[in-house]
């Protein structure tokens, strides 16, 4: 149980285009979903937290107009990287939590590798 | 200073050895202490977590937390080549995880 999927697993796009990444909780309803970014040989950095039906909360330094997050249902959240540039190339990972309880485990997706040419 | 510090490694051990990993942290508000394993180009996988100071054992894995010194440890007994991965400590406050930089572990057959 507690499986989280991401699509696509990798994507290559041209500079200036937008890319959408999907995160789905397959066997549970996710009240809260998180989006992380991981650069090579670095750890995961939280970008934003989203609760179903409400606006996402972005971490300091993350541009909300560039990284659009939609959490329209209890099983799906999307991250859209708008006007992508080479410096946005990274490994994007989502996680899902069954409720907003502080002890609830975050289950991570397999990640999406974005390369912007 | 980072909130969570972790030696990046790599830590290379022979098969069957005990792997010892640790993190230090600075935020006293952290309540839960998670350990994740991440294989290359994959998402993190939760290994175990602890809440209070002391030890917690799960199979070959033992997690220790010392809140007084803000020190977290993970021990892997009878290490296997399949344990080769990056291990991330991730203290949690509220529902927010703060990841350490990860320690890369190589278990050689």
């Amino acid at each position: 149980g507690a499986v989280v999927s991401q699509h696509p697993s990798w994507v290559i796009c041209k500079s200036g285009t937008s890319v959408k990444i999907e995160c789905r909780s397959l066997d549970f309803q996710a009240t809260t979903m998180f989006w992380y970014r991981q650069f090579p040989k670095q750890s995961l950095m939280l970008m934003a937290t989203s609760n179903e039906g409400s606006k996402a909360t972005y971490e300091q330094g993350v541009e909300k107009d560039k990284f659009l997050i939609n959490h329209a249902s209890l099983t799906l959240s999307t991250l859209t990287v708008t006007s992508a540039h080479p410096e946005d190339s990274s490994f994007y990972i989502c996680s899902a939590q069954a409720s907003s309880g502080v002890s609830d485990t975050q289950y991570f997706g397999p990640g999406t590798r974005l390369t912007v040419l | 200073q980072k909130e969570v510090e972790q030696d990046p490694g790599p830590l290379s051990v022979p098969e069957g050895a005990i792997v010892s990993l640790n993190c230090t942290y600075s935020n006293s508000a952290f309540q839960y202490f998670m350990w994740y394993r991440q294989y290359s180009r994959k998402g993190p996988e939760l290994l175990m977590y602890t809440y209070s100071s002391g030890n917690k054992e799960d199979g070959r894995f033992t997690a220790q937390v010392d809140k007084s010194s803000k020190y977290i440890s993970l021990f892997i007994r009878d290490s296997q080549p399949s344990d080769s991965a990056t291990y991330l400590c991730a203290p949690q406050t509220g529902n927010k995880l703060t990841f350490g930089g990860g320690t890369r572990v190589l278990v050689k057959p």
Side-chain angles (χ1 to χ4, degrees):
Chain A
V3 178
V4 177
S5 69
Q6 280 184 243
H7 178 79
S9 56
W10 59 271
V11 57
I12 301 173
C13 69
K14 293 182 178 180
S15 184
T17 61
S18 295
V19 174
K20 181 184 284 188
I21 302 170
E22 291 186 350
C23 175
R24 293 182 185 272
S25 56
L26 299 185
D27 50 4
F28 66 100
Q29 292 186 326
T31 303
T32 306
M33 286 185 166
F34 305 83
W35 286 95
Y36 295 83
R37 181 167 52 183
Q38 186 176 32
F39 291 106
K41 297 188 177 182
Q42 295 187 27
S43 193
L44 284 77
M45 297 299 294
L46 180 65
M47 299 176 65
T49 302
S50 73
N51 291 296
E52 184 264 341
S54 59
K55 291 184 178 180
T57 301
Y58 290 81
E59 295 298 302
Q60 190 173 9
V62 178
E63 301 175 57
K64 62 180 181 180
D65 294 332
K66 180 171 182 64
F67 298 100
L68 302 179
I69 292 172
N70 185 286
H71 191 167
S73 77
L74 287 172
T75 59
L76 173 64
S77 176
T78 60
L79 168 67
T80 301
V81 183
T82 62
S83 186
H85 289 92
E87 58 266 31
D88 297 324
S89 298
S90 187
F91 194 47
Y92 291 86
I93 308 174
C94 72
S95 71
Q97 190 177 48
S99 74
S100 58
V102 296
S103 63
D104 283 346
T105 302
Q106 289 186 32
Y107 297 96
F108 285 81
T112 296
R113 185 161 301 280
L114 170 64
T115 302
V116 184
L117 302 177
Chain B
Q1 183 186 5
K2 294 180 180 179
E3 279 193 288
V4 182
E5 297 275 5
Q6 197 174 354
D7 188 325
L11 179 62
S12 183
V13 300
E15 182 176 357
I18 295 175
V19 177
S20 176
L21 304 164
N22 54 72
C23 287
T24 58
Y25 64 94
S26 57
N27 188 347
S28 298
F30 288 139
Q31 300 166 301
Y32 291 85
F33 303 89
M34 315 301 202
W35 281 98
Y36 285 86
R37 176 174 63 196
Q38 186 177 26
Y39 293 109
S40 181
R41 303 190 179 197
K42 300 291 184 183
E45 170 194 8
L46 180 66
L47 287 175
M48 58 192 306
Y49 72 91
T50 55
Y51 174 66
S52 58
S53 284
N55 293 359
K56 182 177 181 180
E57 189 172 318
D58 185 359
R60 296 187 295 114
F61 299 90
T62 300
Q64 287 184 351
V65 175
D66 183 344
K67 289 187 173 182
S68 63
S69 59
K70 298 186 177 66
Y71 194 82
I72 316 163
S73 299
L74 178 71
F75 301 96
I76 307 173
R77 292 184 298 280
D78 188 24
S79 58
Q80 305 295 311
S82 58
D83 294 327
S84 297
T86 297
Y87 290 81
L88 303 159
C89 65
Q92 178 175 332
T93 182
N95 62 357
K96 181 178 177 180
L97 292 168
T98 302
F99 282 89
T103 299
R104 187 176 167 214
V105 172
L106 300 173
V107 181
K108 297 183 176 180

